[in-house]
Amino acid sequence: MTEQDRHISIWNECLRIFEQNIDPKQFAVWFKTIVPVSIEGSTLTLEVPTDFFRNYLEDTYLPIMKATLRRVIGPDAKLVYRVHPVKKEPAMEFSAAHGNVPENKPVSINTFQPSCNPGPFVFPGLQKLKINPRLNPVYCFDNIVVGECNKMGFNAGINISSNPGKTPFNPLFIFGGPGLGKTHLAQAIGIAAHEAFPDLVVLYVTGNEFKTQYVNAVTVQNKLADFMAFYMRIDVLIVDDIQELIGPATQNAFFNIFNHLHQYGKQLVFTSDRSPADLMNFEERLLSRFKWGLSVELSKPDHETRLAMLKSRCLREGVSVGDDVLEFLAAKVKSNFRELEGALISLIANATLCHETITTALAERVIGNIVGDEKNEITIDHIQNVTCEYFNITRESLASKSRKRNIVQASQIAMFLSRNLVSGCSLATIGMEIGGKDHATVLHACATVSDLIDTDKTFKQYVTDIERILVPSEE
């Protein structure tokens, strides 16, 4: 065996070990199709058919693969995957264990009591700290499909990442329904800013994580000061799902961190499932600061954007899917990118595992199990129709400025249910569709209905009955 064929010899030895430890059917499906490409030093490169294949391989067999490679190659063994896309593009390479994650350079943080346990990511006695930015390299700008639904946010993100903290877009407040790409866009800003300015300290954290860290900090003597010192050292702070940042004490701490970072030109990026005007249980002084920069709404993708997203993901996965199948998926799954991506991955998984050709028939069978009937989608229009039918009133009456009690209550219930059941819908949109009301009127209506549900059994029954009609029980 020549030196040029060494990678083949090494991989054959690995296959021999795998075959002794893995179910024969699984071995035939997941290992016989892998092609050894090369070995340089202790790094073995393997070619796999798709990115889905690579992910499944790592999720299921990574421990035995690591152990086998170290046994055959040595303790410094490393693995690189090569995936060939469908089109005539350069091969894509991925390091094992899901690629390279951005890293911050060590930074100095002032701790206050040597005996105490410092902030959420700080350890006693350390002056130089490595802060994990907690960014997923997959959530980069290159993997965002741009359409009318997200074009403004994408352009603002590019602008911010090239000059963080120095643009008028500070803070950037990204809001919209689930699965529309808020987290992806926010992390893409962090990744791009870190690549352009490696010395900046970038941190991604969720609102719930921040709240939990704060609660932990105040329950340990002298730890709150370290918590505050840690966050005030961040250059680009990304807070996902900031609507979860509830509680006056938590908000007071965040208010002071916000003021410090903004004053010193640090970049702030927030995401939420609703606009700043629609956030409830937030201090007014904090809400006013959320509105200082730019608020961007991500909306549902149109057909062309959904189709472009599917084609982009197929290229990343290295899978060839017919235009008729992609058109079917784009027409069937309309709600958000997450459902659309999940539908495509489920289709690829079924075809790969069952050795079937990807056809429209297979897509229809797979999608039927994970996507609800489109006609059952809850909209503001549907809620108004059901509410009017329940109270035996007309749509014109519901939208009117009548002060009759039954009309007012029906209108308020329609607004309340629209806010709770229609994803990604702002108060302004609800008000506009239900009689041209402003967002303050809708907010008042929601608060009124919530109070009456707790105090009036008859009124509560009205709301429960209508909600059961809109969201029937599966029993």
Side-chain angles (χ1 to χ4, degrees):
M1 184 69 64
T2 64
E3 182 64 22
Q4 291 180 339
D5 296 331
R6 179 167 167 257
H7 59 287
I8 299 175
S9 175
I10 287 174
W11 182 241
N12 286 338
E13 177 62 18
C14 291
L15 288 177
R16 187 186 65 78
I17 297 172
F18 294 147
E19 193 170 14
Q20 295 173 355
N21 294 278
I22 295 174
D23 177 80
K25 291 183 179 179
Q26 296 298 313
F27 175 78
V29 171
W30 296 106
F31 288 90
K32 284 193 173 181
T33 54
I34 298 174
V35 178
V37 176
S38 64
I39 184 165
E40 295 182 9
S42 299
T43 302
L44 177 66
T45 300
L46 302 176
E47 184 175 295
V48 293
T50 69
D51 195 30
F52 167 79
F53 191 104
R54 174 184 70 88
N55 280 320
Y56 185 89
L57 202 65
E58 288 221 326
D59 290 342
T60 310
Y61 299 111
L62 187 58
I64 189 172
M65 290 180 71
K66 280 186 174 180
T68 302
L69 287 171
R70 287 170 181 167
R71 175 178 167 183
V72 176
I73 299 175
D76 297 327
K78 294 181 181 178
L79 179 61
V80 171
Y81 302 99
R82 176 176 294 179
V83 178
H84 275 289
V86 176
K87 298 180 181 178
K88 292 182 178 179
E89 299 285 346
M92 296 178 287
E93 292 193 356
F94 302 86
S95 298
H98 308 296
N100 298 319
V101 178
E103 291 185 356
N104 289 315
K105 287 189 174 182
V107 296
S108 297
I109 293 182
N110 295 323
T111 54
F112 292 84
Q113 294 290 335
S115 61
C116 78
N117 188 18
F121 307 101
V122 182
F123 300 92
L126 294 182
Q127 296 298 319
K128 289 284 187 179
L129 307 170
K130 286 276 289 190
I131 300 173
N132 181 0
R134 308 176 72 246
L135 297 171
N136 185 341
V138 174
Y139 290 157
C140 60
F141 280 122
D142 289 342
N143 288 337
I144 294 180
V145 175
V146 183
E148 290 299 322
C149 59
N150 59 8
K151 182 167 63 176
M152 182 177 178
F154 180 86
N155 290 337
I158 292 290
N159 194 302
I160 288 170
S161 60
S162 63
N163 201 11
K166 305 298 188 296
T167 73
F169 313 139
N170 194 21
L172 177 67
F173 195 101
I174 307 166
F175 68 97
L180 297 179
K182 301 185 297 294
T183 299
H184 190 155
L185 178 57
Q187 289 215 21
I189 294 171
I191 292 170
H194 192 276
E195 289 176 351
F197 305 95
D199 289 335
L200 294 185
V201 180
V202 181
L203 178 66
Y204 165 88
V205 65
T206 67
N208 188 57
E209 288 170 339
F210 182 93
K211 181 176 65 177
T212 301
Q213 291 165 5
Y214 173 78
V215 171
N216 289 338
V218 297
T219 57
V220 179
Q221 188 178 9
N222 293 330
K223 191 177 179 183
L224 179 59
D226 294 320
F227 173 86
M228 300 295 289
F230 171 84
Y231 271 98
M232 288 181 179
R233 183 63 182 80
I234 307 301
D235 296 307
V236 179
L237 178 61
I238 303 166
V239 183
D240 203 1
D241 289 324
I242 202 165
Q243 74 275 1
E244 297 179 351
L245 203 68
I246 55 177
T250 305
Q251 289 184 17
N252 183 63
F254 188 77
F255 174 81
N256 289 310
I257 291 169
F258 181 108
N259 281 349
H260 177 87
L261 295 181
H262 195 276
Q263 179 181 353
Y264 285 94
K266 311 301 184 181
Q267 182 64 49
L268 297 152
V269 179
F270 308 132
T271 78
S272 172
D273 61 358
R274 62 203 68 178
S275 70
D278 297 342
L279 287 171
M280 300 184 68
N281 302 317
F282 268 75
E283 294 182 9
E284 189 60 38
R285 60 177 184 167
L286 200 51
L287 290 177
S288 69
R289 280 160 173 76
F290 290 163
K291 302 172 187 176
W292 277 357
L294 175 67
S295 294
V296 175
E297 181 175 13
L298 303 186
S299 57
K300 293 183 179 181
D302 56 25
H303 183 83
E304 289 73 19
T305 306
R306 296 196 299 272
L307 192 59
M309 178 268 173
L310 289 170
K311 291 180 178 179
S312 173
R313 189 58 197 261
C314 285
L315 182 61
R316 282 173 53 196
E317 295 293 338
V319 177
S320 179
V321 180
D323 289 342
D324 57 334
V325 177
L326 297 181
E327 286 282 356
F328 172 80
L329 291 177
K332 183 68 175 177
V333 187
K334 302 178 181 178
S335 55
N336 59 59
F337 285 119
R338 186 179 298 147
E339 271 197 17
L340 190 63
E341 192 170 40
L344 177 64
I345 295 302
S346 295
L347 179 60
I348 294 172
N350 274 266
T352 302
L353 297 175
C354 301
H355 300 284
E356 294 188 44
T357 304
I358 298 179
T359 62
T360 304
L362 177 62
E364 191 167 5
R365 188 168 77 244
V366 171
I367 300 310
N369 296 327
I370 60 176
V371 179
D373 194 342
E374 203 63 40
K375 67 181 180 181
N376 292 328
E377 182 182 359
I378 298 176
T379 63
I380 299 175
D381 187 65
H382 183 45
I383 290 173
Q384 290 184 83
N385 288 335
V386 171
T387 304
C388 289
E389 186 175 348
Y390 182 85
F391 286 107
N392 194 26
I393 61 176
T394 64
R395 284 285 295 268
E396 289 75 17
S397 298
L398 186 74
S400 70
K401 297 182 179 180
S402 172
R403 295 187 178 181
K404 292 182 180 180
R405 186 182 181 193
N406 65 320
I407 301 296
V408 171
Q409 286 191 340
S411 178
Q412 289 177 333
I413 289 173
M415 295 177 192
F416 174 82
L417 292 174
S418 294
R419 183 176 190 185
N420 288 346
L421 300 180
V422 181
S423 63
C425 195
S426 66
L427 296 182
T429 300
I430 294 171
M432 181 177 63
E433 294 201 25
I434 305 179
K437 310 291 196 306
D438 58 30
H439 85 275
T441 302
V442 180
L443 191 62
H444 172 73
C446 293
T448 300
V449 172
S450 183
D451 290 341
L452 287 173
I453 287 174
D454 293 334
T455 58
D456 188 327
K457 290 185 178 180
T458 302
F459 186 87
K460 180 179 180 180
Q461 192 62 49
Y462 294 158
V463 179
T464 302
D465 289 345
I466 297 172
E467 191 166 8
R468 284 175 178 167
I469 297 171
L470 293 167
V471 188
S473 173
E474 296 182 357
E475 298 181 353

